[in-house]
Amino acid sequence: MLKTIYGRCFSRSQYRRIKIQRPSSGAELPRSTGFIPLPLVRRANSLQNMMMDEDVEQATLVSYSDKPRTFPDMRSKTYSPLIIRILRNLNVRALSVLLLLSFGGIFYMGARTSPIIVFVFVVCIISFMLSVYLTKWVLAKDEGPPEMVQISDAIRDGAEGFLRTQYGTISKMAFLLAFVILCIYLFRNLTPQQEASGLGRTMSAYITVAAFLLGALCSGIAGYVGMWVSVRANVRVSSAARRSAREALQIAVRAGGFSALVVVGMAVIGIAILYSTFYVWLDVDSPGSMKVTDLPLLLVGYGFGASFVALFAQLGGGIYTKGADVGADLVGKVEHGIPEDDPRNPAVIADLVGDNVGDCAARGADLFESIAAEIISAMILGGTMAQKCKIEDPSGFILFPLVVHSFDLVISSIGILSIKGTRNASVKSPVEDPMVVLQKGYSLTIILAVLTFGASTRWLLYTEQAPSAWLNFFMCGLVGIITAYVFVWISRYYTDYKYEPVRTLALASSTGHGTNIIAGVSLGLESTALPVLVISVAIISAFWLGNTSGLIDEKGNPTGGLFGTAVATMGMLSTAAYVLTMDMFGPIADNAGGIVEMSQQPESVREITDVLDAVGNTTKATTKGFAIGSAALASFLLFSAYMDEVSAFANVSFKEVDIAIPEVFIGGLLGAMLIFLFSAWACAAVGRTAQEVVNEVRRQFIERPGIMDYKEKPDYGRCVAIVASSALREMIKPGALAIISPIAVGFVFRILGYYTGQPLLGAKVVAAMLMFATVCGILMALFLNTAGGAWDNAKKYIETGALGGKGSDSHKAAVTGDTVGDPFKDTAGPSIHVLIKMLATITLVMAPIFL
């Protein structure tokens, strides 16, 4: 007996309901094909002759490209985060009342604290509203034909499933670490200021733990937001590429802009809420209570929580994306000669999933942590300087970082909205260089950043004690803004195939795989020189401008040097939201290209997504360079804050670290060794994951020979499961190394110092460890990120037709270089600059146990 079911016949204007015959019982269809052999209904004629019953029963297979393209569902049921499910189940009126009460409570605390905090709250909430508008605008775009939607759904399922499992693992480790912090703080010493304010050990412990968990939660949300938008925007960019390159660019930019505004806004409002809550709860600045200049020290746990999640998110996501990418390339492109993102490759879905969990989710958590660490360290240094200079109202110097990043949300929003689509454009129109369009938006953002930074310094940093100090600090901000621009340009120069370094690397591919590797390594090593010179000039210039600002302590010594460096760091990050937008643009464009390739769209569409993908590789590399530069300055600030905190706890001056002391020198060596060992473990993790993927893909090609002829369908879900399991397993060891090392070193040398009569030995050794790790980490991250990005774009350059184009010997050598560079640029490199900031924050939190 035959039963009637409904199938879908795709038309650009409608779906038609048709009757399709299928046997209700009888011959069972081979599972290896992965298909239900439905009669084919072609687009040109939706009601052609039906296939005969015997063809159906015998499971006759035709060309894979003519089949209805279906992709496996990688989860058993639709999943949404718990908080989303709770909000959806709430009544609209109840939800509105809850939001009004929340906003009312936030603004009440802000009004009790400072008008500056109210301004920060207003800007952040407006930016969240704008991000909602961008979300609706992006989601209103069409998703294209069903085959695109099916691929996008598979990517989304894999990304959400991995992130859910990964964050579950991270949350367990976070609670365990929170318990350790609680135990340490319950038995630690208190600073004289904390004892004078009546803040006991128990209260201090609970405050630090609460700040740590809040920072971890916000960092996790930032990462999830980055993934959430990318897995929904990719298919819309693919669909737009069928019409216009400019429209596809605009969708990708606005999708990235949504994520960037949410990430930066959450970092700012999270710290502002925590600060105002502590201010009101502890009754700061009232007689017998804590002074406002000491309050920023209570926020250190927030930065540590953000760093903790960012490190594991970057490690897990990086291992996932590059394990899948390397495995797919080695078997697909190198051994079988099939194109990248070819639907015959069993690892292609895992590769596309990795772009979202590795580049979007991890980068969102990464930049969230960068901004949080920079804000907190600048607040600590601002409060310390204001206290030394006896400034009557120090709130401006403390809250200045929050205002700078509030303006960052405003100017970056303008830059994002300045990128618009063009009318009457078509897929046949000449492809405009997307980098030129993005650069125009960045230039506009830079100009607005200079204006708003000047207004912020005049508003908050003017003091009667030194009337011209605000101008010096404005110049410090200009140093930071110029440094950021130069860093972006340097990274682009070494990674964009329009410039000589990448073209020279591509030319080296024409003589073989070995020369390609040698040229890539030498390019990466060379690329460390200019950034280090720029950082050095920036630190010296900002320190000198701060020192000559006219602010002096009771003894007449200038005290603005470190705060000037902090202001320069804020200047560098004053366009962070737009820079993150450009970074998010990269993986979204990459995913769009994969969807176009897998759904077998016309070559003209693939040309557009290839251009966007190549530009995305450059923007990702420039963002990493930007992040490394900001990490260098932020780590210097955190190191200075660490020394101030040690001075406060020990109640003695702690301004110098003598590396001529053997124990201190050993601490420096251990810090340098930590960077190399961490990098080795991260790269090895990618290699082991890739080996598992290679073995699985080879097995499928051998056991299912019909895959290469489109007669059998690959098991994509198996590769996704392998990569996810391996990434979660492999991220533990390097992450644990980063957390345990500074604590163990500081505690061991504290005991040694106790028995040798050196009371500050533990603190000094940890300081040396932090210094050497920062220096080595910056150089290592620059080398890895730049070399990896250059190898990738050298391959892209050859794929444009240069040096023989796709399939040539030069292309094969370039693929090898790109494969080697994958764990460099997307796993080890990004993880290192997160590592050095986490080392700085963990030493701040754990400083009492080193004394």
Side-chain angles (χ1 to χ4, degrees), residues 435 439 484-506 519-520 522-531 534 614-615 617-626 782 785-791 793-794 797:
M435 181 56 77
Q439 192 66 37
Y485 190 86
V486 173
F487 251 89
V488 170
W489 183 86
I490 292 173
S491 298
R492 183 184 174 190
Y493 174 73
Y494 279 109
T495 56
D496 195 333
Y497 61 63
K498 295 177 182 176
Y499 299 101
E500 182 181 358
V502 174
R503 295 198 175 200
T504 302
L505 175 57
S522 63
L523 185 150
L525 293 172
E526 177 188 327
S527 68
T528 62
L530 285 178
V534 171
V615 172
N617 285 332
T618 302
T619 58
K620 287 191 291 184
T622 56
T623 305
K624 290 168 187 172
F626 172 88
L782 285 170
N785 285 332
T786 308
W791 267 316
N793 271 352
Y797 175 62

Side-chain angles (χ1 to χ4, degrees), residues 741-765:
S741 295
I743 299 175
V745 168
F747 188 71
V748 168
F749 280 94
R750 175 196 172 179
I751 297 175
L752 181 61
Y754 175 79
Y755 286 105
T756 59
Q758 303 177 73
L760 292 181
L761 184 62
K764 291 177 181 178
V765 171

Side-chain angles (χ1 to χ4, degrees), residues 756-799:
T756 59
Q758 303 177 73
L760 292 181
L761 184 62
K764 291 177 181 178
V765 171
V766 169
M769 184 181 189
L770 182 58
M771 280 195 300
F772 280 64
T774 300
V775 172
C776 289
I778 292 168
L779 295 174
M780 180 69 80
L782 285 170
F783 162 69
L784 295 175
N785 285 332
T786 308
W791 267 316
D792 195 350
N793 271 352
K795 179 198 67 176
K796 289 288 192 300
Y797 175 62
I798 294 174
E799 288 175 348

Side-chain angles (χ1 to χ4, degrees), residues 56-135:
V56 176
E57 294 178 3
Q58 294 171 9
T60 304
L61 291 167
V62 298
S63 174
Y64 179 80
S65 60
D66 294 332
K67 282 288 186 180
R69 300 178 183 88
T70 57
F71 294 85
D73 190 7
M74 299 181 189
R75 61 186 178 194
S76 58
K77 60 180 180 179
T78 302
Y79 171 80
S80 296
L82 177 61
I83 184 65
I84 300 297
R85 297 200 301 270
I86 293 174
L87 292 176
R88 283 178 179 173
N89 292 330
L90 286 177
N91 181 274
V92 176
R93 292 183 179 180
L95 183 59
S96 301
V97 171
L98 181 62
L99 289 175
L100 286 175
L101 290 175
S102 300
F103 289 153
I106 289 173
F107 280 104
Y108 170 75
M109 290 189 299
R112 288 278 306 274
T113 305
S114 170
I116 301 172
I117 292 291
V118 175
F119 169 79
V120 171
F121 285 156
V122 169
V123 173
C124 289
I125 290 174
I126 292 175
S127 72
F128 290 150
M129 295 172 65
L130 176 61
S131 66
V132 171
Y133 162 75
L134 292 176
T135 306

Side-chain angles (χ1 to χ4, degrees), residues 457-468:
T457 51
R458 180 62 179 83
W459 173 25
L460 298 174
L461 302 185
Y462 178 82
T463 175
E464 294 292 342
Q465 297 181 19
S468 63

Side-chain angles (χ1 to χ4, degrees), residues 158-159 162-163 166-167 223 226-227 230-231 310-324 350-367 580 583-584 586-588 591 620 624 723 727 822 825-828 830-831 833-834:
F162 173 74
L163 220 62
Q166 182 191 37
Y167 277 4
M227 180 278 302
S230 66
V231 296
L311 180 66
F312 281 98
Q314 187 66 70
L315 273 173
I319 294 169
Y320 187 110
T321 182
K322 291 303 107 179
D351 184 11
L352 295 175
V353 170
D355 291 334
N356 296 283
V357 300
D359 289 332
C360 291
R363 197 73 73 251
D366 178 6
L367 200 64
L580 180 59
D583 184 82
M584 292 291 183
I588 292 173
N591 256 213
K620 287 191 291 184
K624 290 168 187 172
V723 177
D822 277 339
K825 66 184 176 66
D826 286 324
T827 306
S831 298
H833 74 254
V834 178

Side-chain angles (χ1 to χ4, degrees), residues 311 315 665-683 732-746 765-778 780-781 784 828 831-840 842-843:
L311 180 66
L315 273 173
F665 181 72
I666 290 172
L669 281 178
L670 292 175
M673 177 272 292
L674 174 62
I675 297 299
F676 283 84
L677 184 59
F678 179 88
S679 303
W681 285 1
C683 290
I732 301 298
K733 188 167 72 170
L737 173 72
I739 295 172
I740 295 173
S741 295
I743 299 175
V745 168
V765 171
V766 169
M769 184 181 189
L770 182 58
M771 280 195 300
F772 280 64
T774 300
V775 172
C776 289
I778 292 168
M780 180 69 80
L784 295 175
S831 298
I832 287 173
H833 74 254
V834 178
L835 169 66
I836 60 177
K837 288 177 288 186
M838 199 204 72
L839 289 175
I842 197 172
T843 53

Side-chain angles (χ1 to χ4, degrees), residues 210-225:
F212 170 80
L213 292 176
L214 180 62
L217 175 64
C218 291
S219 182
I221 293 174
Y224 183 84
V225 165

